[in-house]
Coordinates of all heavy atoms in Angstrom, one line a residue:
M1 N -3.9 16.3 -0.6 CA -4.0 15.2 -1.4 C -2.7 14.8 -2.0 O -1.9 15.5 -2.4 CB -5.0 15.8 -2.5 CG -5.3 14.5 -3.5 SD -6.6 14.9 -4.8 CE -8.0 15.0 -3.6
L2 N -2.7 13.4 -2.1 CA -1.4 12.8 -2.6 C -1.4 13.0 -4.1 O -2.4 13.0 -4.9 CB -1.4 11.3 -2.4 CG -1.3 10.9 -0.9 CD1 -1.3 9.3 -0.7 CD2 -0.1 11.3 -0.2
L3 N -0.2 13.2 -4.7 CA 0.0 13.1 -6.1 C 0.8 11.9 -6.5 O 2.0 11.8 -6.0 CB 0.8 14.5 -6.5 CG 0.7 14.8 -8.0 CD1 -0.7 15.0 -8.5 CD2 1.5 16.0 -8.2
I4 N 0.2 11.0 -7.0 CA 0.9 9.7 -7.3 C 1.4 9.7 -8.8 O 0.6 9.9 -9.7 CB 0.0 8.5 -7.0 CG1 -0.5 8.6 -5.5 CG2 0.6 7.2 -7.3 CD1 -1.6 7.7 -5.2
D5 N 2.6 9.3 -9.0 CA 3.2 9.3 -10.3 C 3.1 7.8 -10.8 O 4.0 7.0 -10.7 CB 4.7 9.8 -10.2 CG 5.3 10.0 -11.5 OD1 4.6 9.9 -12.5 OD2 6.6 10.2 -11.5
C6 N 2.0 7.6 -11.5 CA 1.7 6.3 -12.1 C 2.9 6.0 -13.2 O 3.1 6.9 -14.0 CB 0.4 6.3 -12.7 SG 0.0 4.6 -13.6
P7 N 3.4 4.9 -13.2 CA 4.5 4.6 -14.3 C 3.9 4.6 -15.7 O 4.6 4.8 -16.7 CB 5.1 3.3 -13.9 CG 4.3 2.8 -12.8 CD 3.3 3.8 -12.3
F8 N 2.6 4.5 -15.8 CA 1.9 4.4 -17.1 C 1.3 5.7 -17.5 O 1.2 6.0 -18.7 CB 0.9 3.3 -17.2 CG 1.6 1.9 -16.8 CD1 1.3 1.4 -15.5 CD2 2.5 1.3 -17.6 CE1 1.9 0.2 -15.1 CE2 3.0 0.1 -17.3 CZ 2.8 -0.4 -15.9
C9 N 0.6 6.4 -16.5 CA -0.2 7.7 -16.8 C 0.4 8.9 -16.4 O 0.0 9.9 -16.8 CB -1.5 7.5 -16.1 SG -2.3 5.9 -16.4
G10 N 1.6 8.9 -15.6 CA 2.2 10.2 -15.2 C 1.5 10.5 -13.8 O 0.8 9.7 -13.2
K11 N 1.8 11.8 -13.4 CA 1.3 12.3 -12.1 C -0.2 12.5 -12.1 O -0.8 13.2 -12.9 CB 2.0 13.5 -11.7 CG 3.4 13.2 -11.4 CD 4.1 14.5 -10.8 CE 5.6 14.1 -10.5 NZ 6.4 15.1 -9.9
R12 N -0.8 11.8 -11.1 CA -2.3 12.0 -11.0 C -2.8 12.1 -9.4 O -1.9 11.6 -8.7 CB -3.0 10.7 -11.6 CG -2.7 10.4 -13.0 CD -3.2 11.5 -14.0 NE -2.7 11.3 -15.3 CZ -3.4 10.8 -16.2 NH1 -4.5 10.3 -16.0 NH2 -2.9 10.6 -17.4
T13 N -3.8 12.7 -9.3 CA -4.2 12.9 -7.8 C -4.8 11.6 -7.4 O -5.2 10.8 -8.1 CB -5.4 14.0 -7.8 OG1 -6.5 13.6 -8.5 CG2 -4.9 15.3 -8.3
E14 N -4.7 11.5 -6.0 CA -5.2 10.2 -5.4 C -6.7 9.9 -5.6 O -7.1 8.8 -5.4 CB -4.8 10.3 -3.9 CG -5.8 11.1 -3.0 CD -5.4 11.1 -1.5 OE1 -4.5 11.9 -1.1 OE2 -6.0 10.3 -0.8
S15 N -7.4 10.9 -6.0 CA -8.9 10.6 -6.3 C -9.0 9.6 -7.4 O -10.1 9.1 -7.5 CB -9.6 12.0 -6.6 OG -9.1 12.5 -7.7
E16 N -8.1 9.5 -8.1 CA -8.1 8.5 -9.3 C -7.8 7.1 -8.8 O -8.0 6.1 -9.5 CB -7.2 8.8 -10.4 CG -7.6 10.0 -11.2 CD -6.7 10.1 -12.5 OE1 -5.9 9.3 -12.9 OE2 -6.8 11.3 -13.1
F17 N -7.2 6.9 -7.5 CA -6.8 5.7 -7.1 C -7.8 5.2 -5.9 O -8.4 5.9 -5.3 CB -5.3 5.9 -6.5 CG -4.3 6.2 -7.5 CD1 -4.2 7.5 -8.1 CD2 -3.5 5.2 -8.1 CE1 -3.3 7.9 -9.0 CE2 -2.6 5.6 -9.1 CZ -2.5 6.8 -9.5
A18 N -7.5 3.9 -5.7 CA -8.2 3.2 -4.5 C -7.1 2.7 -3.7 O -6.2 1.9 -4.2 CB -9.2 2.2 -5.1
Y19 N -7.2 2.9 -2.4 CA -6.2 2.4 -1.5 C -6.4 0.8 -1.3 O -7.5 0.4 -1.2 CB -6.4 3.0 -0.1 CG -5.4 2.5 0.9 CD1 -4.1 2.8 0.9 CD2 -5.9 1.8 2.0 CE1 -3.2 2.4 1.8 CE2 -5.0 1.4 3.1 CZ -3.6 1.7 3.0 OH -2.9 1.3 3.9
G20 N -5.3 0.1 -1.5 CA -5.4 -1.4 -1.4 C -4.8 -2.0 -0.1 O -4.6 -3.2 0.0
G21 N -4.5 -1.1 0.8 CA -3.9 -1.6 2.1 C -2.4 -1.7 2.1 O -1.7 -1.5 1.1
P22 N -1.9 -2.1 3.2 CA -0.4 -2.3 3.3 C 0.1 -3.4 2.5 O -0.5 -4.3 2.3 CB -0.2 -2.5 4.8 CG -1.5 -3.1 5.2 CD -2.6 -2.5 4.5
A23 N 1.4 -3.2 1.9 CA 2.0 -4.4 1.3 C 2.6 -5.2 2.3 O 3.7 -4.9 2.8 CB 3.1 -3.8 0.3
L24 N 1.8 -6.2 2.6 CA 2.2 -7.1 3.7 C 3.3 -8.1 3.4 O 3.3 -8.4 2.2 CB 1.1 -7.8 4.3 CG -0.1 -7.0 4.9 CD1 -1.3 -7.9 5.2 CD2 0.4 -6.4 6.2
A25 N 4.0 -8.6 4.4 CA 4.9 -9.7 4.2 C 4.0 -10.9 3.8 O 2.8 -11.0 4.0 CB 5.6 -10.0 5.5
P26 N 4.6 -11.9 3.3 CA 3.8 -13.1 2.9 C 3.0 -13.7 4.0 O 3.4 -13.6 5.1 CB 4.9 -14.1 2.4 CG 6.1 -13.3 2.0 CD 6.1 -12.1 2.8
R27 N 1.8 -14.2 3.6 CA 1.0 -14.7 4.7 C 1.7 -15.8 5.4 O 2.2 -16.9 4.9 CB -0.2 -15.4 3.9 CG -1.3 -16.0 4.7 CD -2.3 -16.6 3.8 NE -3.4 -17.2 4.5 CZ -4.6 -16.7 4.7 NH1 -5.0 -15.6 4.2 NH2 -5.5 -17.4 5.4
P28 N 1.6 -15.7 6.8 CA 2.3 -16.7 7.6 C 1.5 -18.0 7.6 O 0.2 -18.0 7.4 CB 2.4 -16.0 8.9 CG 1.2 -15.1 9.1 CD 1.1 -14.7 7.5
D29 N 2.1 -19.1 8.2 CA 1.4 -20.4 8.3 C 0.6 -20.2 9.7 O 1.2 -20.1 10.7 CB 2.4 -21.5 8.4 CG 1.7 -22.8 8.8 OD1 0.5 -22.9 8.9 OD2 2.5 -23.8 9.0
P30 N -0.7 -20.3 9.6 CA -1.5 -20.1 10.8 C -1.2 -21.1 11.9 O -1.2 -20.8 13.1 CB -3.0 -20.2 10.4 CG -2.9 -20.2 8.9 CD -1.6 -20.5 8.4
A31 N -0.7 -22.3 11.5 CA -0.4 -23.4 12.5 C 0.8 -23.0 13.3 O 1.1 -23.6 14.4 CB -0.2 -24.7 11.7
A32 N 1.6 -22.1 12.7 CA 2.9 -21.8 13.4 C 2.7 -20.5 14.4 O 3.7 -20.1 15.0 CB 4.0 -21.4 12.3
L33 N 1.4 -20.0 14.5 CA 1.2 -18.8 15.2 C 0.3 -19.1 16.4 O -0.6 -20.1 16.2 CB 0.5 -17.7 14.3 CG 1.4 -17.2 13.2 CD1 0.5 -16.1 12.4 CD2 2.7 -16.6 13.5
T34 N 0.3 -18.4 17.4 CA -0.8 -18.4 18.4 C -2.1 -17.9 17.8 O -2.0 -17.1 16.9 CB -0.4 -17.6 19.6 OG1 -0.4 -16.2 19.4 CG2 0.9 -18.0 20.2
D35 N -3.3 -18.1 18.4 CA -4.6 -17.6 18.0 C -4.5 -16.2 18.0 O -4.9 -15.5 17.0 CB -5.6 -18.1 18.8 CG -6.0 -19.6 18.6 OD1 -5.4 -20.1 17.5 OD2 -6.7 -20.2 19.5
A36 N -3.9 -15.5 19.0 CA -3.9 -14.0 19.1 C -3.0 -13.4 18.0 O -3.3 -12.4 17.4 CB -3.3 -13.6 20.4
E37 N -1.8 -14.2 17.7 CA -1.0 -13.6 16.6 C -1.7 -13.7 15.3 O -1.6 -12.8 14.3 CB 0.3 -14.4 16.6 CG 1.3 -14.1 17.7 CD 2.5 -15.1 17.8 OE1 2.3 -16.2 17.3 OE2 3.5 -14.7 18.4
W38 N -2.4 -14.8 15.1 CA -3.2 -15.0 13.8 C -4.2 -13.9 13.6 O -4.4 -13.3 12.6 CB -3.7 -16.3 13.7 CG -4.5 -16.7 12.4 CD1 -5.8 -17.1 12.4 CD2 -4.0 -16.7 11.1 NE1 -6.1 -17.3 11.0 CE2 -5.0 -17.0 10.2 CE3 -2.8 -16.2 10.5 CZ2 -5.0 -17.0 8.9 CZ3 -2.7 -16.2 9.1 CH2 -3.8 -16.6 8.4
V39 N -5.0 -13.7 14.7 CA -6.0 -12.7 14.6 C -5.5 -11.3 14.4 O -6.0 -10.5 13.6 CB -6.9 -12.7 15.9 CG1 -7.8 -11.5 16.0 CG2 -7.7 -14.0 15.9
D40 N -4.3 -11.0 15.1 CA -3.6 -9.8 14.8 C -3.2 -9.6 13.3 O -3.4 -8.5 12.7 CB -2.5 -9.6 15.7 CG -2.9 -9.1 17.1 OD1 -3.9 -8.9 17.3 OD2 -1.8 -9.1 17.9
W41 N -2.7 -10.6 12.7 CA -2.3 -10.6 11.4 C -3.4 -10.3 10.4 O -3.4 -9.5 9.4 CB -1.5 -11.8 11.0 CG -0.8 -11.6 9.6 CD1 0.4 -11.2 9.4 CD2 -1.4 -11.9 8.4 NE1 0.8 -11.1 8.1 CE2 -0.3 -11.6 7.4 CE3 -2.6 -12.4 7.9 CZ2 -0.5 -11.8 6.1 CZ3 -2.7 -12.6 6.5 CH2 -1.7 -12.3 5.6
L42 N -4.5 -10.9 10.8 CA -5.7 -10.8 9.9 C -6.4 -9.5 10.0 O -7.0 -8.9 9.1 CB -6.7 -11.9 10.2 CG -6.3 -13.3 9.8 CD1 -7.4 -14.3 10.3 CD2 -6.3 -13.4 8.2
T43 N -6.4 -8.9 11.2 CA -7.3 -7.8 11.4 C -6.7 -6.5 11.8 O -7.3 -5.4 11.9 CB -8.3 -8.1 12.6 OG1 -7.5 -8.4 13.8 CG2 -9.1 -9.3 12.2
V44 N -5.3 -6.4 12.3 CA -4.8 -5.2 12.7 C -3.8 -4.7 11.7 O -2.7 -5.3 11.4 CB -4.0 -5.4 14.0 CG1 -3.4 -4.1 14.5 CG2 -5.0 -6.0 15.0
P45 N -4.1 -3.7 10.9 CA -3.2 -3.2 9.8 C -2.0 -2.4 10.6 O -2.2 -1.8 11.6 CB -4.0 -2.2 9.1 CG -5.1 -1.8 9.9 CD -5.3 -2.9 10.9
P46 N -0.8 -2.6 10.0 CA 0.3 -1.9 10.5 C 0.1 -0.3 10.4 O -0.4 0.1 9.4 CB 1.6 -2.3 9.8 CG 1.0 -3.0 8.5 CD -0.4 -3.4 8.9
N47 N 0.4 0.5 11.4 CA 0.2 1.9 11.4 C 1.4 2.6 12.0 O 1.2 3.3 12.9 CB -1.1 2.2 12.1 CG -1.5 3.7 11.8 OD1 -1.1 4.3 10.9 ND2 -2.3 4.2 12.8
P48 N 2.6 2.4 11.4 CA 3.8 3.0 12.0 C 3.9 4.5 11.6 O 3.3 4.9 10.6 CB 4.9 2.2 11.5 CG 4.4 1.8 10.0 CD 2.9 1.6 10.2
L49 N 4.7 5.2 12.4 CA 5.2 6.6 12.0 C 6.4 6.2 11.1 O 7.4 5.6 11.5 CB 5.6 7.4 13.2 CG 4.5 7.9 14.0 CD1 5.0 8.6 15.2 CD2 3.6 8.8 13.2
G50 N 6.5 6.8 9.9 CA 7.6 6.7 9.1 C 7.3 6.0 7.7 O 6.1 6.2 7.2
W51 N 8.2 5.4 7.1 CA 8.0 4.9 5.8 C 7.3 3.6 5.9 O 7.5 2.7 6.7 CB 9.5 4.6 5.2 CG 10.1 5.9 4.9 CD1 11.2 6.5 5.6 CD2 9.9 6.8 3.8 NE1 11.4 7.7 5.0 CE2 10.7 7.9 4.0 CE3 9.0 6.8 2.7 CZ2 10.8 8.9 3.0 CZ3 8.9 7.8 1.8 CH2 9.9 8.9 2.0
V52 N 6.3 3.4 4.9 CA 5.5 2.3 4.7 C 5.5 1.9 3.2 O 5.6 2.8 2.4 CB 4.1 2.4 5.3 CG1 4.1 2.5 6.9 CG2 3.3 3.5 4.6
E53 N 5.1 0.7 3.0 CA 4.8 0.3 1.6 C 3.3 0.0 1.5 O 2.8 -0.7 2.3 CB 5.6 -0.9 1.1 CG 7.1 -0.6 0.9 CD 7.8 -1.5 0.0 OE1 7.3 -2.6 -0.2 OE2 8.9 -1.0 -0.6
E54 N 2.6 0.6 0.5 CA 1.2 0.4 0.4 C 0.8 0.0 -1.1 O 1.5 0.3 -2.0 CB 0.5 1.8 0.7 CG 0.8 2.3 2.0 CD 0.3 3.7 2.2 OE1 0.2 4.4 1.2 OE2 -0.2 4.0 3.3
R55 N -0.3 -0.6 -1.1 CA -0.9 -1.0 -2.5 C -1.9 0.0 -2.9 O -2.8 0.3 -2.1 CB -1.4 -2.4 -2.5 CG -0.5 -3.5 -1.9 CD 0.5 -4.0 -3.0 NE -0.2 -4.6 -4.0 CZ 0.0 -4.7 -5.3 NH1 1.1 -4.1 -5.7 NH2 -0.6 -5.5 -6.1
W56 N -1.9 0.4 -4.0 CA -2.9 1.4 -4.6 C -3.2 0.9 -6.0 O -2.3 0.4 -6.7 CB -2.3 2.9 -4.7 CG -2.1 3.5 -3.4 CD1 -1.1 3.3 -2.5 CD2 -3.0 4.5 -2.9 NE1 -1.3 4.1 -1.4 CE2 -2.4 4.8 -1.6 CE3 -4.1 5.1 -3.3 CZ2 -3.0 5.8 -0.8 CZ3 -4.7 6.1 -2.6 CH2 -4.1 6.5 -1.2
W57 N -4.5 1.0 -6.3 CA -5.0 0.5 -7.6 C -5.5 1.8 -8.4 O -6.2 2.7 -7.9 CB -6.2 -0.3 -7.4 CG -7.0 -0.8 -8.6 CD1 -6.5 -1.2 -9.8 CD2 -8.4 -0.9 -8.8 NE1 -7.4 -1.6 -10.7 CE2 -8.7 -1.4 -10.0 CE3 -9.5 -0.7 -7.9 CZ2 -10.0 -1.6 -10.5 CZ3 -10.8 -0.9 -8.4 CH2 -10.9 -1.4 -9.7
H58 N -5.0 2.0 -9.6 CA -5.3 3.1 -10.4 C -6.6 2.8 -11.1 O -6.7 2.5 -12.3 CB -4.2 3.3 -11.5 CG -4.3 4.8 -12.0 ND1 -3.4 5.3 -12.9 CD2 -5.1 5.8 -11.7 CE1 -3.7 6.5 -13.2 NE2 -4.7 6.8 -12.6
A59 N -7.6 2.9 -10.3 CA -8.9 2.5 -10.7 C -9.6 3.4 -11.8 O -10.3 3.0 -12.7 CB -10.0 2.5 -9.4
R60 N -9.4 4.7 -11.7 CA -10.0 5.6 -12.7 C -8.9 6.1 -13.7 O -8.9 7.2 -14.3 CB -10.5 6.8 -12.0 CG -11.7 6.5 -11.2 CD -12.3 7.6 -10.3 NE -13.3 7.1 -9.4 CZ -12.9 6.5 -8.2 NH1 -11.7 6.5 -7.8 NH2 -13.9 6.2 -7.4
G61 N -7.9 5.1 -14.0 CA -6.8 5.4 -14.9 C -6.5 4.1 -15.7 O -7.4 3.5 -16.3
C62 N -5.3 3.6 -15.6 CA -4.9 2.4 -16.4 C -5.3 1.1 -15.8 O -5.2 0.1 -16.4 CB -3.4 2.4 -16.6 SG -2.5 2.3 -15.0
G63 N -5.7 1.1 -14.4 CA -6.2 -0.2 -13.8 C -5.0 -0.9 -13.2 O -5.2 -2.0 -12.8
A64 N -3.8 -0.4 -13.3 CA -2.6 -1.1 -12.7 C -2.6 -1.0 -11.2 O -3.0 -0.1 -10.6 CB -1.4 -0.5 -13.2
W65 N -2.1 -2.2 -10.6 CA -1.8 -2.2 -9.1 C -0.5 -1.6 -8.9 O 0.5 -2.2 -9.6 CB -2.0 -3.6 -8.6 CG -3.4 -3.9 -8.3 CD1 -4.4 -4.5 -9.0 CD2 -4.1 -3.5 -7.1 NE1 -5.5 -4.6 -8.4 CE2 -5.4 -4.0 -7.2 CE3 -3.7 -2.9 -5.9 CZ2 -6.4 -3.8 -6.2 CZ3 -4.6 -2.7 -5.0 CH2 -6.0 -3.2 -5.0
L66 N -0.3 -0.7 -8.1 CA 1.0 -0.1 -7.7 C 1.5 -0.4 -6.4 O 0.6 -0.6 -5.5 CB 1.0 1.4 -8.1 CG 0.5 1.8 -9.4 CD1 0.4 3.3 -9.5 CD2 1.3 1.2 -10.6
T67 N 2.7 -0.3 -6.1 CA 3.2 -0.3 -4.7 C 3.9 0.9 -4.5 O 4.8 1.3 -5.3 CB 4.2 -1.5 -4.5 OG1 3.5 -2.7 -4.8 CG2 4.7 -1.5 -3.0
L68 N 3.5 1.7 -3.5 CA 4.2 3.0 -3.1 C 4.9 2.8 -1.8 O 4.6 2.2 -1.0 CB 3.0 4.1 -2.8 CG 2.5 4.8 -3.9 CD1 1.8 4.0 -4.9 CD2 1.6 5.9 -3.3
R69 N 6.0 3.5 -1.8 CA 6.8 3.8 -0.5 C 6.5 5.1 0.0 O 6.9 6.2 -0.7 CB 8.2 3.5 -0.7 CG 9.1 3.5 0.5 CD 10.5 3.0 0.2 NE 11.5 3.5 1.2 CZ 11.6 3.1 2.4 NH1 10.8 2.2 2.9 NH2 12.5 3.6 3.2
R70 N 5.7 5.3 1.1 CA 5.2 6.6 1.5 C 5.5 6.8 3.0 O 5.4 6.0 3.7 CB 3.7 6.7 1.3 CG 3.0 8.0 1.7 CD 1.6 8.0 1.4 NE 0.8 7.1 2.2 CZ 0.4 7.4 3.5 NH1 0.6 8.5 3.9 NH2 -0.3 6.5 4.2
H71 N 5.8 8.1 3.3 CA 6.1 8.5 4.6 C 4.7 8.8 5.3 O 4.1 9.7 4.7 CB 7.0 9.6 4.7 CG 7.7 9.8 6.1 ND1 7.1 10.3 7.2 CD2 8.9 9.4 6.6 CE1 7.8 10.3 8.2 NE2 9.0 9.7 7.8
T72 N 4.4 8.2 6.5 CA 3.1 8.4 7.0 C 3.0 9.9 7.6 O 1.8 10.2 7.9 CB 2.8 7.4 8.0 OG1 3.7 7.3 9.0 CG2 2.7 6.0 7.3
V73 N 4.0 10.5 8.0 CA 4.0 11.9 8.6 C 4.0 12.9 7.5 O 3.1 13.8 7.5 CB 5.0 12.0 9.6 CG1 5.0 13.4 10.2 CG2 5.0 11.0 10.7
T74 N 4.9 12.9 6.6 CA 5.0 14.0 5.6 C 4.2 13.6 4.3 O 4.0 14.5 3.5 CB 6.4 14.1 5.2 OG1 7.0 13.0 4.5 CG2 7.3 14.4 6.5
H75 N 3.9 12.4 4.1 CA 3.2 11.9 2.8 C 4.0 12.0 1.7 O 3.5 11.9 0.6 CB 1.8 12.7 2.7 CG 0.8 12.5 3.8 ND1 0.3 11.2 4.1 CD2 0.4 13.3 4.8 CE1 -0.5 11.4 5.1 NE2 -0.4 12.6 5.6
E76 N 5.3 12.1 1.8 CA 6.3 12.1 0.7 C 6.2 10.7 0.2 O 6.2 9.7 0.9 CB 7.7 12.4 1.3 CG 8.7 12.4 0.2 CD 10.2 12.4 0.7 OE1 10.3 12.8 1.9 OE2 11.1 12.3 -0.1
I77 N 6.2 10.7 -1.1 CA 6.3 9.4 -1.8 C 7.7 9.1 -2.5 O 8.1 10.0 -3.3 CB 5.2 9.3 -2.9 CG1 3.8 9.4 -2.3 CG2 5.3 8.0 -3.8 CD1 2.7 9.5 -3.3
A78 N 8.4 8.2 -2.0 CA 9.8 8.0 -2.5 C 9.9 7.1 -3.7 O 10.9 7.1 -4.4 CB 10.6 7.4 -1.3
E79 N 8.9 6.2 -3.8 CA 9.0 5.2 -4.9 C 7.6 4.7 -5.3 O 6.7 4.6 -4.4 CB 9.8 3.9 -4.4 CG 10.0 2.9 -5.4 CD 10.6 1.7 -4.9 OE1 11.0 1.6 -3.6 OE2 10.9 0.8 -5.6
V80 N 7.4 4.6 -6.6 CA 6.2 4.0 -7.1 C 6.6 3.0 -8.0 O 7.3 3.2 -9.0 CB 5.2 5.1 -7.8 CG1 4.0 4.4 -8.4 CG2 5.0 6.2 -6.9
R81 N 6.1 1.7 -7.9 CA 6.4 0.7 -8.9 C 5.3 -0.1 -9.1 O 4.3 -0.3 -8.5 CB 7.6 -0.2 -8.4 CG 7.3 -1.0 -7.0 CD 8.5 -1.8 -6.7 NE 8.1 -2.7 -5.5 CZ 8.2 -2.4 -4.3 NH1 8.6 -1.2 -3.9 NH2 7.9 -3.3 -3.3
H82 N 5.2 -0.7 -10.4 CA 4.1 -1.6 -10.8 C 4.2 -2.9 -10.1 O 5.4 -3.5 -10.0 CB 4.2 -1.8 -12.4 CG 3.1 -2.6 -12.9 ND1 3.3 -3.6 -13.8 CD2 1.8 -2.4 -12.7 CE1 2.1 -4.1 -14.1 NE2 1.2 -3.5 -13.5
G83 N 3.2 -3.5 -9.7 CA 3.1 -4.7 -9.0 C 3.6 -4.7 -7.6 O 3.5 -3.6 -7.0
R84 N 4.1 -5.8 -7.1 CA 4.5 -5.8 -5.7 C 5.9 -5.4 -5.5 O 6.7 -5.4 -6.3 CB 4.3 -7.3 -5.2 CG 2.8 -7.7 -5.1 CD 2.6 -8.8 -4.2 NE 1.2 -8.9 -4.0 CZ 0.5 -8.5 -3.0 NH1 1.0 -7.8 -2.1 NH2 -0.8 -8.7 -3.0
Ligands
ZN1 ZN1 -2.1 4.5 -14.3

């Protein structure tokens, strides 16, 4: 289980949080992409080995949206920040 260090509440278990998905790059202009690229952006979440940035909502705590930098293999959390 992940232990997430909320900047407002301190270290809490992931059971207090709701996963909000990957912290994506800004939404691209669909007119500049092929149909396949657009469908991929909408439906295929990135799933790399290594460091990712993710959004988590402290739903059973302060209610803040956080951005975590987490390693997908070791689950080490290198950074937690409020907002994006
Ligand atoms: Zn919190």
Side-chain angles (χ1 to χ4, degrees):
M1 179 168 292
L2 295 176
L3 195 59
I4 298 173
D5 191 6
C6 174
F8 306 105
C9 308
K11 291 188 178 180
R12 304 298 171 98
T13 61
E14 76 179 85
S15 63
E16 291 190 10
F17 294 81
Y19 179 69
L24 296 172
R27 182 184 177 104
D29 177 5
L33 303 176
T34 66
D35 288 347
E37 289 170 334
W38 180 237
V39 169
D40 280 353
W41 191 87
L42 290 172
T43 61
V44 181
N47 190 22
L49 287 176
W51 292 100
V52 294
E53 288 204 338
E54 302 172 327
R55 304 280 291 147
W56 288 78
W57 177 39
H58 199 177
R60 293 173 190 87
C62 63
W65 276 96
L66 308 175
T67 301
L68 272 63
R69 183 167 158 74
R70 183 179 66 84
H71 198 284
T72 58
V73 176
T74 65
H75 300 293
E76 177 187 355
I77 297 173
E79 180 185 4
V80 179
R81 64 180 187 271
H82 181 233
R84 293 206 172 259

